[in-house]
Amino acid sequence: VLIDIDGKHEWRDCIDVPGVHLPRGYYFGTSSVTGDLSDNHDIISLKLYQLTVERTPEEEKRDREVFLPVVDNLKLPGMEAPLEPMSGLALFLIVFFSLVALVFAIVIGIIVYNKWQEQSRKHFY
């Protein structure tokens, strides 16, 4: 994609992504709306070219089978590698401290319950 900001026919690269495979039979769409600044952006023209290149039969077959746009070697958001499993020591420490916290919470609960029972017996009627 090339851009000419000043209108002087001095085109410079805006974006260059190699390995783009687009399906056949689709249309390009553009929009100059950018939120509150929609009046500051104009699309004057689009020039699209189809390059004629020699392709191997394998490339022709691959291009016919493209149904979704694909870019080679592009990492999409949310497509990170799966996390490595935790080590035995990390798993042990998590379980150990969870059990310690659970026992601590039970002991505190018993103490609070006993204090509440003691307070509820001291009513003078």
Side-chain angles (χ1 to χ4, degrees):
V1 175
L2 301 172
I3 59 173
D4 176 22
I5 294 177
D6 301 324
K8 298 179 181 177
H9 298 287
E10 295 174 0
W11 299 91
R12 62 182 175 94
D13 284 338
C14 174
I15 185 171
D16 184 13
V17 181
V20 175
H21 303 282
L22 298 175
R24 296 179 182 187
Y26 282 76
Y27 299 94
F28 282 98
T30 60
S31 172
S32 65
V33 177
T34 57
D36 293 336
L37 303 174
S38 61
D39 59 335
N40 293 335
H41 297 83
D42 297 324
I43 297 174
I44 305 299
S45 68
L46 290 174
K47 293 181 182 179
L48 304 175
Y49 301 96
Q50 180 175 347
L51 300 177
T52 305
V53 295
E54 301 242 350
R55 296 185 178 175
T56 63
E58 180 182 302
E59 289 175 329
E60 279 292 326
K61 182 181 177 193
R62 184 190 64 212
D63 287 343
R64 280 193 198 114
E65 293 175 353
V66 173
F67 294 109
L68 295 174
V70 178
V71 179
D72 296 338
N73 302 321
L74 178 70
K75 292 183 180 178
L76 298 175
M79 298 290 290
E80 291 86 21
L83 298 174
E84 295 180 14
M86 285 190 276
S87 67
L89 178 63
L91 187 61
F92 170 76
L93 290 175
I94 289 173
V95 170
F96 177 75
F97 284 117
S98 298
L99 289 174
V100 168
L102 181 65
V103 169
F104 183 72
I106 290 172
V107 169
I108 295 296
I110 291 172
I111 292 171
V112 169
Y113 179 73
N114 286 338
K115 290 286 185 182
W116 178 74
Q117 286 286 358
E118 203 175 288
Q119 290 292 334
S120 65
R121 280 189 245 138
K122 293 183 180 182
H123 286 275
F124 294 107
Y125 295 104

